[in-house]
Amino acid sequence: MACLFHDSGTAAPHDGAQRFEVEGADAARAFLSEHGWPEDLGQQVWEAVALHTSPGIAERMGTLPRLVRLAVLADFGRTDLIGTEGRAELTEALERLPRLDVETALGDAVVAQALRNPEKAPPSSWPGVLLAAHLADPDRTAGANPAF
């Protein structure tokens, strides 16, 4: 569930006042609560979603936040996260999945939210870094945000 909801805070139904990671985490916990999941599991999912863009923190907050963080990194092409024994299989699996310009779509969604509400992009956060790169070159029209 954490993987399903990790970027849901960029979607219109979850575009609230908080940064996208927190909005997605709140949406995940609400969904799980509505479907009878135990509160402690909902909290674990909340932490995994809220922390998935926080390197060095997610990895130390427990198994689920660490695994979601690693899955996100693998999704964006990091194959050095596992031993050499499984690296070829991971690389092949990633090559079979179409990217569909997710880097551009996700970065643009985060920046659009931050432009409407700068509080969603604190300066030292990943959304803040994306916003700063956009503001440094607001006329960029092609490709992913250079800070992605």
Side-chain angles (χ1 to χ4, degrees), residues 23-113:
E23 293 293 342
D26 288 347
R29 182 164 44 196
F31 178 87
L32 297 174
S33 178
E34 291 168 12
H35 289 84
W37 282 49
E39 191 173 318
D40 65 322
L41 289 177
Q43 180 63 27
Q44 289 178 44
V45 170
W46 189 95
E47 291 171 1
V49 174
L51 295 172
H52 80 275
T53 64
S54 299
I57 299 172
E59 294 87 346
R60 296 182 67 178
M61 289 300 295
T63 302
L64 187 57
R66 180 176 57 81
L67 290 175
V68 171
R69 173 80 183 146
L70 293 174
V72 167
L73 293 174
D75 190 31
F76 288 104
R78 291 280 306 273
T79 59
D80 61 329
L81 305 169
I82 60 173
T84 55
E85 188 173 300
R87 199 170 293 167
E89 288 176 348
L90 176 58
T91 300
E92 289 172 18
L94 291 171
E95 288 172 354
R96 286 193 305 268
L97 300 170
R99 299 301 304 154
L100 302 175
D101 295 320
V102 66
E103 294 86 354
T104 300
L106 179 58
D108 288 352
V110 171
V111 167
Q113 287 184 351

